[in-house]
Amino acid sequence: AYGKVGGTVTVPVTLCGQVCVAGFDITITYDPELLKLISVAEDGAVLYNDEVPGKIRLNYVSVENTEADVDICRLQFQIKGGSGSIPVTMELHSIYACSNDMDTEDDSMYVPEAYLVGGNVHVIP
């Protein structure tokens, strides 16, 4: 995301690639001296906790596996200061999917492969 000091930027939290997820729990970390969280926009499948400055705990829960590229939510920040790039990092606590095998009674849960990629808010002078 790109923006100027005093302005706002929107950072998407996106599932990409060969996705097959029914839920996850992640923490997004940012520098609260440089960024101020304004809002978390989502469609109701996300629970979040932003009580700890600089950390957002996101829980995504779906009744079906998510199997396509999709924006889970959008984080809106105000840029309070800084220059260059401000990192926004992610830590995975848990992730799971359901087998959803329609031919059997098997509805077991499993842990898919996951690759977390963080990002940066770039401050434009």
Side-chain angles (χ1 to χ4, degrees), residues 2-82:
Y2 294 84
K4 294 185 177 192
V5 173
T8 59
V9 293
T10 300
V11 177
V13 176
T14 305
L15 297 177
C16 300
Q18 299 296 324
V19 177
C20 184
V21 195
F24 62 77
D25 177 13
I26 63 173
T27 296
I28 297 173
T29 305
Y30 61 94
D31 186 339
E33 298 293 321
L34 302 177
L35 298 174
K36 176 183 177 184
L37 181 66
I38 303 293
S39 68
V40 178
E42 46 84 27
D43 66 1
V46 171
L47 299 173
Y48 71 94
N49 182 322
D50 62 351
E51 292 177 5
V52 177
K55 292 185 183 283
I56 307 164
R57 188 78 179 248
L58 284 182
N59 289 282
Y60 172 73
V61 179
S62 175
V63 295
E64 297 179 349
N65 288 334
T66 303
E67 296 181 342
D69 292 358
V70 63
D71 283 347
I72 296 299
C73 66
R74 292 162 308 285
L75 310 174
Q76 187 174 38
F77 293 102
Q78 178 183 32
I79 301 173
K80 294 168 53 176

Side-chain angles (χ1 to χ4, degrees), residues 73-123:
C73 66
R74 292 162 308 285
L75 310 174
Q76 187 174 38
F77 293 102
Q78 178 183 32
I79 301 173
K80 294 168 53 176
S83 62
S85 297
I86 303 168
V88 178
T89 61
M90 294 184 284
E91 176 187 357
L92 179 65
H93 301 287
S94 65
I95 186 168
Y96 56 90
C98 183
S99 68
N100 285 338
D101 189 343
M102 302 303 276
D103 296 330
T104 70
E105 297 290 321
D106 182 22
D107 233 9
S108 59
M109 303 302 285
Y110 66 93
V111 178
E113 289 185 26
Y115 302 94
L116 292 181
V117 179
N120 292 291
V121 172
H122 302 281
V123 181

